[in-house]
Amino acid sequence: MKHTYIYDEGQWTAEGFYFDENEARYEVYGETSVIREREHRRLEGFMDVSFSQPSRFTNSYKIYYGKSPDLMEWESFNPGLGTLKGKFVTNGNTITSSYTSNDGSVTGWEILIQEKSGLYKNVGVCYVNNKKLSSWCVVLKKR
């Protein structure tokens, strides 16, 4: 099955749950745009979390074409975490990603499992100074 997320341009929605460092669960809704540019892909998105004071997290990625079609390096800027660098690796119906900040204080990973074209399950976790900051479990759907 050909991957559609990250590889193809398009608009995506995300719905599911966000978990804080204490495992408190919050509903989450997000949107992402994947845009192809000459030397890289761009991923622009947001995630709205239903805290008692709803919050919006934004992210902006540059995803660089790899020497191999199953490996892409990326760099993102998140206003709360700073610049992160990571890799997307595809294997069958799965895309995995791991990342770290320049100083190594922020690390994490995520897994995207393609259920069918235009539909992925996504789980991930983020650590700051080796302590869990957040995790998530969402379904991504192409519009």
Side-chain angles (χ1 to χ4, degrees), residues 48-68:
D48 289 335
V49 182
S50 64
F51 297 132
S52 57
Q53 289 245 242
S55 297
R56 175 171 280 193
F57 299 101
T58 60
N59 226 330
S60 178
Y61 288 74
K62 284 185 180 178
I63 303 167
Y64 300 97
Y65 303 114
K67 294 177 183 166
S68 144

Side-chain angles (χ1 to χ4, degrees), residues 35-92:
I35 302 144
R36 291 183 82 127
E37 296 185 344
R38 175 179 273 178
E39 296 180 13
H40 61 272
R41 292 177 179 95
R42 207 163 29 92
L43 192 147
E44 301 285 336
F46 70 85
M47 182 172 62
D48 289 335
V49 182
S50 64
F51 297 132
S52 57
Q53 289 245 242
S55 297
R56 175 171 280 193
F57 299 101
T58 60
N59 226 330
S60 178
Y61 288 74
K62 284 185 180 178
I63 303 167
Y64 300 97
Y65 303 114
K67 294 177 183 166
S68 144
D70 62 345
L71 174 66
M72 291 184 286
E73 294 187 3
W74 59 265
E75 182 174 299
S76 75
F77 179 74
N78 176 303
L81 300 174
T83 299
L84 303 173
K85 293 182 180 180
K87 293 181 178 158
F88 288 117
V89 178
T90 59
N91 183 18

Side-chain angles (χ1 to χ4, degrees), residues 2 8 14 17 19 23 27 42-43 48-49 53 58 64-65 72 76 95-96 105 111 116 126 128 141-142:
K2 179 182 175 279
D8 293 344
F17 297 100
F19 302 89
E23 292 301 316
E27 288 186 5
R42 207 163 29 92
L43 192 147
D48 289 335
V49 182
Q53 289 245 242
T58 60
Y64 300 97
Y65 303 114
M72 291 184 286
S76 75
I95 301 172
T96 60
S105 65
I111 299 171
K116 62 181 183 179
C126 179
V128 176
K141 293 181 185 174
K142 191 169 188 178

Side-chain angles (χ1 to χ4, degrees), residues 79-129:
L81 300 174
T83 299
L84 303 173
K85 293 182 180 180
K87 293 181 178 158
F88 288 117
V89 178
T90 59
N91 183 18
N93 71 333
T94 303
I95 301 172
T96 60
S97 180
S98 60
Y99 58 89
T100 189
S101 60
N102 289 336
D103 68 1
S105 65
V106 179
T107 59
W109 57 264
E110 67 180 309
I111 299 171
L112 297 112
I113 301 171
Q114 186 177 33
E115 298 288 308
K116 62 181 183 179
S117 182
L119 181 70
Y120 285 80
K121 288 186 178 174
N122 173 232
V123 296
V125 65
C126 179
Y127 293 92
V128 176
N129 296 318

